[in-house]
Every structure is written in C-alpha cells, then in structure tokens.
Amino acid sequence: MTPHIAAVQVGPLAVLCYIINCPSTRQGLLIDPAAPSAAVTDVINRRGLTIRWIVNTHGHSDHTAGNDYWAQQTGATTVIHELDWHFFSTPEMQQAAIAEGFPPLSHIDLLVQDGYRLPLGELELSIIHTPGHTPGSICLYTPGHLFTGDTLFVDSAGRTDLPGGSLGQLVDSIQRRILPLPDDTIIWPGHDYGDTPTSTLGEQKLNNPYITDFLD
C-alpha cells in the first residue's frame, strides 16, 4: 500500500513536517512537527486522520519544539531514538535549547533503537539509526519512501559541527544504512535545501557530494 504524504514547512527554521497516513484506515503519523501550524491541522482535518505517532528524526530543538503541542492536540505517542533522548535531555543541552529560543526536550513517550517498527494501519515504518548529525539521528523507511531528517538532504547532508556531530559517522551512516536501499526510493529531507524538495536515492548517488566524494 502506498502512503499518503504531505509536507508542510513549520517553525522559524522552516523544518519540513511530514504528515503520513494509511489511506484505508486513516491512521496518521507526524514527523518533526516543530511548531503549531494551521496548515498541518488542515491536512489532518481534511483527511480525517487519527494521529498515532509523533516521531522526531533527531533531538535538535528546531525539530522537537512542537512535541508537547501536537501531543496535546492529537493524543499521539512521541518517539525518539534513545541516544538522542539521553543526549538532549541533559541540563546543558536543555539550556542550549532555551538560549536558542526553543522549549527544551523534556518528555518522550517511547524510546526506540535501530530496527524498531511503527505500525500505521496497513503500513509500517522502520527505524534506521543513522548517527552523524546527532548521536541518535534516524531515518524512517517504508518501501518506496525514506524520511531522512537532517541526515541526508537533496544534494547535501546535515551539519556535523554541532555538539554530538561526527562527519565520519554521517558518511558511514549514508554508505551503510541508506545507499543499500533501492535507487527508486524517494527521499524526503528535514529541510528544503536543494533545487527540488525531494529526490530519489538513485539521483543522489549521482549528484550528492556526500555520496560521490566518499564512495569507497
């Protein structure tokens, strides 16, 4: 079954929030709903969705700032990789979020690891741990679609100069965890930083320097 997917830019740093749903059951999932958004609410209402999951691709505050609002609005379960919970829930990182003008990451319902599967009606999304941008960065995969957060952008990749980042880990994650997926997989990044909002993995193998310049 092919998921229904909508993308909405939310928050002051224009995070791409994805609203994904099973067409038959109308169960929905929000990826990085970084702030209150009338446009996101409109998609949910027009599709008649019941939001089951709120998933953070990583713990940076521009991606997690909307967690509490959307959890209250929908009753959904909030999800993040356990490594990013432990990293970003520390007092130091919470103070850093506040200094940037965002609420700190203070609550998560479900901590996941690599390989965890989130059921969504007749669909299922798998957690792929892709450290590098942050220790617990993840991508979410369902056949034909990969939601890459700030791990992989169109023709670029996430920063590694922030606390917890590692260029070596990022390149390794892309090579070992992402490149083996089918070339026709559509990538849905966490920000619209490329010439197009989305791309395919096959196109990125030809054009993305974080892939072409580091191939073994």
Side-chain angles (χ1 to χ4, degrees), residues 93-149:
M93 296 308 296
Q94 292 198 335
Q95 286 301 315
I98 293 170
E100 293 171 355
F102 294 104
L105 184 65
S106 59
H107 174 79
I108 288 288
D109 298 313
L110 177 64
L111 304 181
V112 295
Q113 299 177 341
D114 181 66
Y116 194 92
R117 297 181 178 183
L118 296 172
L120 192 67
E122 297 180 22
L123 301 171
E124 186 175 74
L125 288 91
S126 298
I127 302 296
I128 302 176
H129 182 209
T130 53
H133 182 61
T134 65
S137 284
I138 61 171
C139 298
L140 288 90
Y141 177 72
T142 192
H145 303 274
L146 183 71
F147 301 89
T148 56

Side-chain angles (χ1 to χ4, degrees), residues 30 33-36 40 44 51-56 64-79 107-109:
L30 302 181
V40 173
I44 293 171
I51 302 301
R52 182 172 181 183
W53 309 103
I54 294 168
V55 183
N56 296 135
T64 65
N67 279 15
D68 291 345
Y69 173 84
W70 288 106
Q72 291 170 2
Q73 293 295 309
T74 66
T77 298
T78 52
V79 181
H107 174 79
I108 288 288
D109 298 313

Side-chain angles (χ1 to χ4, degrees), residues 114 128-131 168-181 216:
D114 181 66
I128 302 176
H129 182 209
T130 53
Q169 281 192 324
L170 181 70
V171 171
D172 183 68
S173 291
I174 293 170
Q175 290 189 338
R176 291 194 309 107
R177 309 311 311 278
I178 293 178
L179 293 190
L181 297 173
D216 294 331

Side-chain angles (χ1 to χ4, degrees), residues 77-100:
T77 298
T78 52
V79 181
I80 202 169
H81 192 279
E82 63 177 7
L83 290 181
D84 265 19
W85 166 253
H86 295 309
F87 187 80
F88 287 99
S89 64
T90 61
E92 295 81 5
M93 296 308 296
Q94 292 198 335
Q95 286 301 315
I98 293 170
E100 293 171 355

